[in-house]
Amino acid sequence: MKFIDEVNIIVQAGNGGNGIISFRREANVDKGGPDGGDGGDGGNIYFVGDTGQNTLLPFYYQNKLQAESGENGKPKNAYGAAGKDLIVKVPMGTMVYLGDKLIADIISNEKYLIAKGGIGGKGNLRFKSSRNTAPRICENGSQGQKLELHLVLKVLADVGFVGKPSAGKSTIISQISNAKPKIADYDFTTLVPQLGLVKYFDETFVAADLPGLIEKAHEGKGLGIRFLKHIERCKVIAHVIDFGSPEKNPISDFQIINDELKKYNLNLENLPQVVIANKSDLDDFEEHLKLFTKKFPLIPLISHSALTNENIDEIKRSLLEKIKLQQNINFTEDKDNIVVISLNKKPINIIKLNNETYEIIGDDVFEVYDRIPLLSIDNLWRFNNKLKSLGVFELIKNSEIKNGDTIKIKDYEFTWNAEDF
């Protein structure tokens, strides 16, 4: 499967259904009164972490997600049905950005609210009062949130296996877990992170086989930064180093990898590390091991050979011990998985279209216009009162607009006469 770890998508939560104006009309029922029902709320969009996914490829092909809108209200005080929520499974470790702001970090299988659905509009029954027993007032539902998002996947694993190309990472992870990475005797056989579940007696943890690193990987050399970022979320780093091949230099390889981790992210050098001295069945192993332990006497080593499966349980046990010391590590700054997104509102303003035509803009004005359908005199009065409370009429009076000029609000037009307002 093609590996995609960054993608742009558009999410559209469901719109709220419209309330309606209706009056009870039944035989032998005198003075039926208003019975217009409310519209249903629009569906929300939630993201849920899924450990079975490790790529954002599905969103590369399907980059528009839309929840169901609420139904309109009905007569006889029948409410419209709410739109169904859209629950989207994403790989564990997916970070959701709105612009440059992180709005959700998917690190569990709980539901993360990404886009909120619109609120259903009120029917005329809601506006009945002792002063107005037959209101011809209703509301449209509000719009659901529509957001352009950037998704970034950073693999979420307990252990990240790192090393230079052909060090044997893929072989080891295939021996200790259920991962099935590609294994071959040439560099960069692993082109995407491979996740595997490791079982040690009755305990388990997740390991990631990460593509081979080379010198200056932090600058983009080899597979570079694209895969270095996947190490950021690992609790433990497992170095796999070739100690057996005569052309290899384990000391240099270890220093190069650690240097790349440090240059990319200063926090990575502070993570617990386990060094696996690989290819113990080859002739040069003992000589390389002697030189390495002399250079780094305090670094514990675990010998391993793919031919004999040497120390497989020791590798699992050592990794699990390091993981337990990191149980309280937190990879996200967001403490609440319910995300409330507040977008900056555009202020109310007047735009001159020509000598006799002006347009009123502003998110508050547009919201009032969208919510109040101008299909009855009662709604028109309510619309005017809302504009007045927003200071729109006062703004017009202080502008260059003259009596007889045309004013537009979206697709609604009216002629200005200061005496009427």
Side-chain angles (χ1 to χ4, degrees), residues 274-286:
V274 173
V275 177
I276 301 172
N278 198 24
K279 305 184 181 182
S280 62
D281 54 293
L282 298 182
D283 294 338
D284 289 270
F285 181 87
E286 292 298 332

Side-chain angles (χ1 to χ4, degrees), residues 144-326:
Q145 286 183 322
K146 182 177 182 179
L147 306 172
E148 296 183 8
L149 303 175
H150 182 62
L151 306 186
V152 177
L153 172 61
K154 290 186 180 179
V155 168
L156 199 61
D158 297 304
V159 180
F161 278 72
V162 301
K164 298 194 75 175
S166 298
K169 302 184 303 302
S170 298
T171 300
I172 294 175
I173 201 169
S174 69
Q175 292 174 330
I176 69 172
S177 76
N178 62 353
K180 304 297 179 185
K182 182 178 180 180
I183 300 173
D185 59 353
Y186 55 84
D187 291 350
F188 298 117
T189 54
T190 301
L191 299 178
V192 303
Q194 300 287 328
L195 295 179
L197 184 67
V198 182
K199 186 174 182 179
Y200 183 68
F201 295 100
D202 59 345
E203 297 182 278
T204 61
F205 60 89
V206 177
D209 174 22
L210 301 166
L213 302 177
I214 62 175
E215 192 171 5
K216 296 186 178 180
H218 72 282
E219 297 178 357
K221 299 291 185 181
L223 296 176
I225 291 177
R226 183 181 175 195
F227 295 112
L228 267 170
K229 69 183 179 184
H230 293 291
I231 306 173
E232 286 185 283
R233 298 203 152 179
C234 297
K235 299 176 182 177
V236 176
I237 292 177
H239 284 268
V240 179
I241 303 174
D242 184 346
F243 273 64
S245 302
E247 71 277 7
K248 298 292 184 179
N249 184 338
I251 293 174
S252 175
D253 290 350
F254 179 69
Q255 290 175 325
I256 287 173
I257 297 301
N258 264 335
D259 192 45
E260 292 306 311
L261 297 179
K262 180 179 180 180
K263 289 178 179 177
Y264 175 72
N265 185 327
L266 293 177
N267 293 327
L268 293 180
E269 64 176 332
N270 298 321
L271 291 178
Q273 297 186 1
V274 173
V275 177
I276 301 172
N278 198 24
K279 305 184 181 182
S280 62
D281 54 293
L282 298 182
D283 294 338
D284 289 270
F285 181 87
E286 292 298 332
E287 180 64 22
H288 283 153
L289 182 65
K290 180 180 178 180
L291 293 174
F292 190 93
T293 52
K294 183 178 180 180
K295 177 72 173 179
F296 304 108
L298 300 180
I299 295 180
L301 295 174
I302 303 175
S303 299
H304 175 264
S305 169
L307 291 178
T308 63
N309 285 351
E310 179 187 4
N311 291 332
I312 290 295
D313 285 340
E314 175 64 16
I315 292 173
K316 293 181 181 181
R317 183 193 62 77
S318 180
L319 293 174
L320 189 59
E321 287 180 353
K322 297 290 186 182
I323 292 170
K324 288 181 177 180
L325 296 176
Q326 297 287 94

Side-chain angles (χ1 to χ4, degrees), residues 348 386-396:
I348 300 172
K386 291 286 186 180
L387 294 183
K388 182 178 180 180
S389 65
L390 290 174
V392 172
F393 296 148
E394 193 64 30
L395 184 64
I396 294 174

